Amino acid sequence: AADAVDGDVRGAFEAELAQYLCARHAVGVASGTDALELALRACDVGRGDEVITVSHTAVATVCAIGRTGATPVLVDIDRTTYTMSPAAAAAAITPHTRAIVPVHLYGHPADMESLSRLAQEHNLRLIEDAAQAIDARYGDRPTGTWRDAAALSFYPTKNLGACGDAGAVVTNDDHLAARVKSLRCYGQRQR
């Protein structure tokens, strides 16, 4: 980000990342776990809510859901793709379900068309765990641009690694991006 204005390297990286992923916003955060937690919080997911995700994931996915106060509901994977089974997700929906968090694993995206339709039909938030899938595509669309938001991780072992830990929330929703920016700074809108 050599063209960073006034030393705003993070802002330049966020803009370049959003453009690269064909998204309106990329909001840098401390880690992939924080990205998922803040995306959920920005969608008003919290205590008393249930969030459907897969059992075949890193513990960070479940920890991020738990840090919001919501209850993780683990569902099975599709035996071919090793990602969330849309049928299993549909069977797990209850009146307390507020979000679905599919995990794109090993660069392979979940069935985003089916999961997006499911989320829309039940008025649920859909937040992609794309920690291992930056630049992956489902059809002609990049992961992270299917519904509400996606969480990216730049942990050194990920597809795009940082020198330490880092992450980002990717979204096309202006309001959600503004909420994540506020939440990453303890609710502050300006210093």
Side-chain angles (χ1 to χ4, degrees):
D3 60 344
V5 179
D6 297 327
D8 185 11
V9 175
R10 181 184 66 200
F13 174 75
E14 290 171 335
E16 289 179 35
L17 180 62
Q19 181 180 13
Y20 181 77
L21 296 175
C22 303
R24 290 182 66 157
H25 305 279
V27 182
V29 297
S31 69
T33 307
D34 283 356
L36 187 52
E37 177 188 354
L38 295 178
L40 287 164
R41 287 184 185 279
C43 289
D44 295 319
V45 172
R47 192 160 313 284
D49 295 334
E50 293 176 353
V51 177
I52 297 170
T53 194
V54 289
S55 55
H56 188 56
T57 186
V59 69
T61 306
V62 176
C63 287
I65 294 167
R67 285 173 22 178
T68 69
T71 301
V73 176
L74 303 178
V75 299
D76 208 352
I77 58 172
D78 177 279
R79 293 180 188 268
T80 305
T81 65
Y82 298 105
T83 60
M84 183 178 282
S85 161
I93 294 173
T94 74
H96 300 287
T97 305
R98 294 293 172 259
I100 300 173
V101 177
V103 178
H104 306 306
L105 200 55
Y106 314 124
H108 183 79
D111 181 348
M112 293 310 299
E113 195 169 327
S114 297
L115 293 169
S116 292
R117 191 170 39 251
L118 180 66
Q120 186 172 5
E121 288 170 4
H122 293 275
N123 196 30
L124 301 174
R125 295 297 198 147
L126 182 72
I127 300 169
E128 302 167 63
D129 182 335
Q132 292 192 17
I134 189 170
D135 199 30
R137 294 182 174 274
Y138 183 85
D140 63 347
R141 291 179 61 184
T143 55
T145 62
W146 276 87
R147 286 272 298 167
D148 297 295
L152 302 178
S153 173
F154 306 126
Y155 189 76
T157 62
K158 300 300 183 193
N159 305 52
L160 176 61
C163 291
D165 207 350
V169 175
V170 177
T171 184
N172 287 318
D173 184 317
D174 297 340
H175 176 70
L176 195 94
R179 291 209 57 201
V180 172
K181 285 178 182 178
S182 176
L183 288 168
R184 78 176 173 191
C185 294
Y186 315 108
Q188 298 177 31
R189 298 202 190 283
Q190 65 184 39
R191 289 182 81 84

